[in-house]
Amino acid sequence: MFPRARAFVFWLMVLALVVPSGALRAESGAGPAPLPEPPVTVPAAGMGTLHDALQLARADQADHPAAIAGFQRLAWEFGTPLYIYDRATIIGQARLVKEAFGARFPRLKLFYAAKANTSLAVMSLLRQQGLGMETISGGEIIAALRLGVPGPDILFTSSSKSPWEIELALREGVLLNLDSLDELAQVEVTAARLGTTARVSFRVNPGVDPHTIHQINTGISESKFGLHLAGGAALAAYRRALRLRHVQVVGLHCHIGSQITDPEGYVLAAGKVLEFARELKEQLGLQLAFIDLGGGIGIPYHDGETVMTPADLAAALQPIWQKGIARLGYEPTLWLEPGRFFVAPAGFLLTRVNSVKTTPVKTFINVDAGFNTLVRPAMYQAYHRVRVIGPKNRVVKADLAGNVCETGDILAADRMLPRPQPGDLAVILDAGAYGFAMASEYNSRPLPAEVLVDGDEVEVIRGRGRPDDLFRHQRIPGSW
Ligand code: LLP
C-alpha cells in the first residue's frame, strides 16, 4: 500500500476508535449506530409484540424472552436513552377518566394538561380522545393550534403571562385563566387594542393541602398560584372584571397540586369553590359556565401500591357537587385537566448500562441517562421503578446512577436489582409524564429520542437530538 493510503486508513481507524458511536450516527442522521456488542435476539414468531414487552416490564417480568427481545429491538433500532410510549395505555387511561366522570357528571368537559408531555404525537392522541388542551405557555398554545385544536378548546393557565402570550391567546380565541389583577388589567388593554372580548376565568387559591410533594403542592396558601379565597382577593378580582368592557367572565378554576392519591383534598377544594360560586351569584349576580377542579390525579409509582382511581375521585366528588349545585341553583359544567394520569404509566425510559462499580460503600450501575433525561428523582426525590432487562440472577443492592457530573444524579437509590453487565439494558417505568418534557441538554448531551409503540409497530415521534443542536443558536463574538 502507498504510504499516503496507509496513513489515510490509519487515521480512519483512529477516528472510528475515538468518535463515540452516537455522535457518528447522529451526524449521519441515519438513526442509531449499532451498539458495540451484537444485542439482537430476533424475536421468535408469536413471541409477543412490543406492547407485550412493555407490559411484561411493568409486571416485573423483564426476564421474559419477549421482554428481552422487545427492548433489545427498541435499543437496537433507536439507540438509548430512549423514551417509549405505549399508545394503548394512553388511550386506556383517557377512557378511564372519561368513563368514571362521564357516568356521574352529565355536564363535563375534559382537558389534557399538555405540560406533562408536550410531544405533538401524544397531544394529538389525547385530542383524538375528545380532550381540550390546557396550556401553560405560548409554545403550548402554538402546539395545540398546530394540531388543529380551536381556540375555545384551549385553556391558558400561567401565573406569569408575557404580553405576546396574552396577545396570541386573544387573537386565537383561547380562554385565559387569570392569576392576578395586573394580568386582568393587561388583558383588558390588549383586548381593547385588538377590538375583541377576552373570555376569562380566575384561578383561585382555596388554601387546601392535598398532602403531596411540597414542590407540586399548589393549592396551599403559601403557594404562588391563584387569588386567595380567604381575605377576599378572589371576590375583588371578579368584581373588578365584571366592570371591564373587553372581558367576559365565564369560569372559575382551581388546581390544588399534582400526584394526589387521596380524594380528600379535592372534596375540600370543591366545597370551597362551590361555596364561592354561590357568593359570586349572590353578591355579583354572576353565573359561571364552568368550574374547573384542575388536574392532579396521581398514579401508583411503586409495585403493589394502590391509590385513588378516577372512579374513586368521581364517586367522592359527586355528593359535594350535588349539594353545591343545589345551593347554587344552577349547574356549571365540571372541567378537569389531568396530565400525569393520561401519560405517566404509558412512558418508559430505556437506558443502557455503561459500567457497574462497587465502592466500599455501595454498588453503582452507571447508565447512559441522567437527570438531564429524567429529572424527577433528583428534583423531587421521586420514586420510579427500575427493571434490568434480562435474567434475574445475582441480585444486588445498587443505585442506578446517571451520567451527569453531579453527586445528586441518582435515578434510583438502594434498589435490589439483577447485577447487569456493561451493555445490558434497564428501563425506568412511569416516565411518560414530566419526563422528556423536563429534559435538558445539561452536560452537553443531546436530547433523547421518543417513539410511540402501537402493538408491534413503532414510530419515531421525535428524532434523537444531535451534537449540532447544542451549538445551533450559539455565536462566538468576532469569529463568524
Ligand atoms: N393544571 C394546572 C394548572 C397545573 O399546574 C398542572 C400541573 C396540571 C393541571 C396537571 O397536573 P397533573 O394532572 O399532571 O398532576 N413536574 C412535576 C409535576 C408538576 C405539575 C405542574 N402542574 C412532577 O414531575 O411531578
Side-chain angles (χ1 to χ4, degrees):
M1 213 190 284
F2 295 111
R4 272 180 133 188
R6 252 202 328 256
F8 178 65
V9 170
F10 170 76
W11 283 113
L12 258 187
M13 286 167 65
V14 170
L15 190 73
L17 283 174
V18 298
V19 177
S21 60
L24 278 182
R25 95 180 157 240
E27 228 76 86
S28 71
L35 297 173
E37 70 286 356
V40 175
T41 319
V42 178
M47 198 178 203
T49 62
L50 288 175
H51 167 82
D52 297 335
L54 302 179
Q55 296 316 309
L56 284 165
R58 286 189 70 79
D60 200 9
Q61 291 181 45
D63 55 338
H64 190 286
I68 298 173
F71 283 105
Q72 285 184 344
R73 177 179 151 197
L74 289 163
W76 174 256
E77 276 188 39
F78 306 106
T80 54
L82 179 71
Y83 272 102
I84 306 158
Y85 308 119
D86 184 46
R87 186 175 186 276
T89 304
I90 297 177
I91 294 172
Q93 294 291 99
R95 286 208 182 121
L96 283 179
V97 177
K98 281 198 287 190
E99 285 166 14
F101 282 88
R104 294 178 185 269
F105 297 87
R107 295 171 65 86
L108 174 72
K109 189 168 163 78
L110 294 175
F111 289 75
Y112 166 53
K115 66 182 80 62
N117 186 323
T118 325
S119 299
L120 292 173
V122 170
M123 289 175 69
S124 155
L125 252 185
L126 287 161
R127 176 65 185 159
Q128 285 162 26
Q129 300 307 303
L131 307 189
M133 291 293 146
E134 192 262 335
T135 61
I136 213 77
S137 66
E140 286 188 5
I141 295 174
I142 294 167
L145 292 170
R146 277 202 184 186
L147 294 175
V149 183
D153 271 0
I154 304 174
L155 173 64
F156 177 31
T157 301
S158 159
S159 55
S160 186
K161 303 178 180 70
S162 296
W164 77 271
E165 293 175 317
I166 291 176
E167 182 158 343
L168 171 70
L170 288 173
R171 284 187 188 281
E172 298 293 340
V174 168
L175 197 137
L176 284 124
N177 191 26
L178 306 181
D179 205 288
S180 66
L181 290 179
D182 277 355
E183 215 166 66
L184 175 64
Q186 288 162 35
V187 167
E188 166 67 12
V189 169
T190 314
R193 175 164 57 76
L194 298 177
T196 186
T197 302
R199 288 170 62 249
V200 308
S201 53
F202 284 100
R203 177 172 185 168
V204 301
N205 182 321
V208 165
D209 186 350
H211 305 292
T212 181
I213 303 167
H214 174 71
Q215 295 98 316
I216 54 178
N217 202 340
T218 49
I220 46 174
S221 31
E222 302 92 294
S223 116
K224 70 175 176 180
F225 295 107
L227 289 149
H228 286 57
L229 291 183
L235 186 62
Y238 275 91
R239 180 173 284 125
R240 184 175 302 180
L242 289 175
R243 294 204 200 104
L244 300 179
R245 284 187 45 206
H246 297 91
V247 164
Q248 184 197 0
V249 186
V250 288
L252 170 58
H253 175 280
C254 93
H255 168 78
I256 53 171
S258 195
Q259 182 53 17
I260 301 171
T261 52
D262 184 296
E264 191 194 325
Y266 283 101
V267 172
L268 282 175
K272 289 195 178 195
V273 295
L274 282 158
E275 183 52 30
F276 179 62
R278 201 170 66 89
E279 257 180 74
L280 290 176
K281 186 179 162 200
E282 281 176 4
Q283 301 205 18
L284 309 177
L286 175 64
Q287 190 155 322
L288 299 165
F290 70 85
I291 292 180
D292 186 336
L293 292 182
I297 305 176
I299 61 142
Y301 279 98
H302 293 256
D303 280 319
E305 186 185 1
T306 46
V307 301
M308 165 191 90
T309 64
D312 296 336
L313 179 58
L317 279 173
Q318 195 181 21
I320 189 100
W321 184 262
Q322 289 304 334
K323 202 169 123 198
I325 60 173
R327 280 162 66 84
L328 253 185
Y330 71 93
E331 179 163 9
T333 302
L334 171 65
W335 285 18
L336 292 172
E337 47 185 49
R340 180 191 319 265
F341 186 83
F342 295 133
V343 289
F348 300 76
L349 173 57
L350 184 60
T351 181
R352 182 176 175 275
V353 176
N354 283 330
S355 54
V356 181
K357 181 174 74 175
T358 299
T359 72
V361 181
K362 52 168 63 176
T363 296
F364 293 97
I365 300 172
N366 298 308
V367 295
D368 67 359
F371 76 60
N372 50 356
T373 330
L374 177 70
V375 79
R376 301 194 72 256
M379 191 159 172
Y380 314 113
Q381 285 70 56
Y383 180 98
H384 282 263
R385 285 170 289 184
V386 173
R387 311 285 194 227
V388 170
I389 308 298
K392 285 186 182 163
N393 45 15
R394 273 201 70 196
V395 170
V396 289
K397 190 175 184 185
D399 280 13
L400 196 77
N403 55 357
V404 168
C405 218
E406 292 203 25
T407 310
D409 186 25
I410 300 296
L411 293 161
D414 296 326
R415 302 294 175 84
M416 297 308 294
L417 295 169
R419 193 180 201 283
Q421 297 293 321
D424 283 351
L425 298 169
V427 66
I428 301 173
L429 305 188
D430 302 310
Y434 308 107
F436 186 97
M438 294 177 81
S440 76
E441 290 173 339
Y442 182 46
N443 275 198
S444 292
R445 291 216 162 81
L447 291 169
E450 293 177 290
V451 296
L452 184 66
V453 162
D454 183 7
D456 204 36
E457 309 271 298
V458 53
E459 268 190 74
V460 176
I461 59 170
R462 189 192 308 255
R464 183 169 298 284
R466 295 157 182 239
D468 267 356
D469 296 343
L470 306 171
F471 316 114
R472 204 173 32 200
H473 300 300
Q474 299 196 48
R475 295 281 177 276
I476 300 174
S479 71
W480 291 322

